[in-house]
Every structure is written in structure tokens, then in C-alpha cells.
Amino acid sequence: MLLHDTALIYGRHLRQSLRSRFALLFGVLMPLLYLLFFGPLLTDLPLGGEGSSWQVLVPGLLLQLGLFGASFAGFSIIIEKSQGVVERMRVTPVSRLALLLGRVLRDATVFVFQAVLLVLAALVMGLRAPLPGVLIGFAFVGLLTVSLASLSYALAMKVRTPQEFGPAINAMTMPMMLLSGLMLPMTLGPTWLDVLSHFVPFRYLVDAVRAAYVGSYATAPMLYGVLVAVAFAGVAVTVGTRVFRTAGA
């Protein structure tokens, strides 16, 4: 029943996304602008890591796509709450876990699709990376989306208006972006900043994807990245499901 219910919710929300093709493509615009206008500035610069500047920048942009896109996914829940959609679905026998999983799997599908478009554009501009590394990057985008979208939906179930939701999300995502080394490796900064960034779980995902893009799979950054990504997803889905079960009950 869980698989059946999840497939129903997933299909419903995916059809909604497919009907809005403009929004589907517009979501990749910001990382694409970074790629087009920021990427050429880094060409041939020593960035303190293995690989080319594109192998440093593109993994960061992929995870930036998941970070900002998934973090703001909860806006849709706020709209559905105001229209009574959430309450009507909560009184059905559909699994509460399926109500969450269907949504976050739709989000993961959308952002992985956008990540594919971003990588294709990066290949045109000069990115060279092994195919397994690129596929690993997509897997990390999917896991990050599931994690952050689950927490975003949980928060959206707790707040009443978009005016409460937006500032809270900004307060969480900006430190994650600045301290994770999305744009440039944190090793380029002062020692205290590099040490502080290790307390941000998102940094381990960035390091893991960069390692994958240079073909380093059996390494400590990859191991730490996988462990953090899986643990984060498990905790986030658990929190999100609990909120869906209790909010408004």
C-alpha cells in the first residue's frame, strides 16, 4: 500500500510540474548564469584541488540547485493548506509517509532533470569528467533534494504564512551556502574558516561530488559524503513524516 500510495501522490504532483514547463526550465536559470558568467573567470586559476576549474565549479552548482530549489519546496504546501487540499488528503486512508514521499520524489525527479541540463551546458563550455562521477553527482543531488524538501515541507506545515516561511529558509540556507564551499573550495580561505566549515554537513557532500568528478571514488571525502547524505536523508524523512502525522491533528 505504501508503494501504491506513494506512486499516486508522485504521479499527481509530477503531472502538475509537467504542466508548468516554464517553471521547470526557469529553476535551472540561476546555476546556469553562474556557469556562463562566473565559470570563465576561474579558467586556469589554481583552486587548490585536483582537476580543472570546471570540475570544482560544476559540482558546487549542482548542489546549489538542490539546496535552494528543495529548501523552498514548502511554499506549495502553504498554498495547499490555504485551499484546504492538505486537510482533504489527510482524512483519506493514504499513508502519511506516502503524502511526504510522493512530493519529495517528485522534487528529486525535477531537480535531477535540471541537473542534467546544467551538466550538458557545462560540457559545452569545457567540463570534462568521468561518466561514473557525473552519475554519482546526480545521485547526491537526488539525496540532497529528498532531505531538504522533507524538512521544507515539515516547516511549511508548522507556519501559517509565506512571510514566516521565507525568512526562516533564508536564515538556514545562506550559512550553508557560504560555509560549504559551493563556489570555491574552503581550503582557499583562512584556517579558522576551513575548520568552521567542517561543522556544516553540506560541505561533505560538496567535497564528495568534487572527488567523483575527478574520478576519486574510494577516498575519505567520498565515504564521508555518502554517510552524511544517507544519514541526513533518513533523519529528514523521519522528521517530515512525523510532522505530517501530527500537524493539525
Side-chain angles (χ1 to χ4, degrees):
M1 286 301 297
L2 175 62
L3 293 177
H4 178 265
D5 293 347
T6 300
L8 285 177
I9 302 299
Y10 171 80
R12 175 181 182 270
H13 289 282
L14 184 61
R15 287 191 295 272
Q16 290 178 343
S17 296
L18 293 177
R19 284 197 292 267
S20 181
R21 294 183 179 89
F22 178 78
L24 193 64
L25 296 176
F26 189 79
V28 77
L29 179 61
M30 186 59 68
L32 189 59
L33 290 177
Y34 272 107
L35 181 72
L36 294 176
F37 300 134
F38 186 63
L41 297 176
L42 303 179
T43 304
D44 299 326
L45 289 180
L47 299 181
E50 299 181 33
S52 68
S53 60
W54 296 109
Q55 290 169 307
V56 173
L57 178 64
V58 174
L61 294 180
L62 289 177
L63 294 176
Q64 182 194 56
L65 180 66
L67 171 64
F68 286 100
S71 295
F72 286 93
F75 271 117
S76 62
I77 284 285
I78 297 176
I79 297 173
E80 290 183 359
K81 283 200 306 181
S82 67
Q83 297 173 344
V85 175
V86 173
E87 288 306 311
R88 288 196 295 271
M89 296 191 73
R90 281 171 51 82
V91 298
T92 68
V94 174
S95 165
R96 296 300 179 263
L97 178 57
L99 287 176
L100 177 67
L101 285 182
R103 287 177 167 87
V104 300
L105 291 178
R106 182 279 312 268
D107 294 329
T109 301
V110 169
F111 291 124
V112 168
F113 171 74
Q114 293 176 343
V116 171
L117 297 181
L118 183 64
V119 168
L120 291 177
L123 289 172
V124 173
M125 296 193 66
L127 169 69
R128 296 296 178 265
L131 179 59
V134 172
L135 296 179
I136 289 172
F138 294 150
F140 272 100
V141 171
L143 272 175
L144 179 65
T145 300
V146 169
S147 305
L148 294 179
S150 297
L151 296 178
S152 180
Y153 289 132
L155 177 61
M157 292 289 287
K158 292 293 188 179
V159 303
R160 293 171 296 177
T161 65
Q163 290 76 16
E164 296 174 338
F165 181 78
I169 291 297
N170 278 325
M172 290 184 289
T173 55
M174 289 306 295
M176 291 178 66
M177 183 190 76
L178 296 173
L179 289 174
S180 62
L182 275 178
M183 295 295 100
L184 295 171
M186 295 303 295
T187 53
L188 295 177
T191 302
W192 68 268
L193 193 58
D194 186 29
V195 171
L196 180 61
S197 71
H198 282 88
F199 293 94
V200 179
F202 195 46
R203 185 218 166 120
Y204 297 96
L205 276 65
V206 176
D207 290 343
V209 179
R210 284 182 177 147
Y213 265 58
V214 297
S216 300
Y217 309 122
T219 59
M222 180 63 66
L223 175 62
Y224 294 149
V226 171
L227 291 177
V228 170
V230 172
F232 189 27
V235 171
V237 171
T238 300
V239 171
T241 304
R242 183 170 299 177
V243 170
F244 266 70
R245 284 174 178 164
T246 59

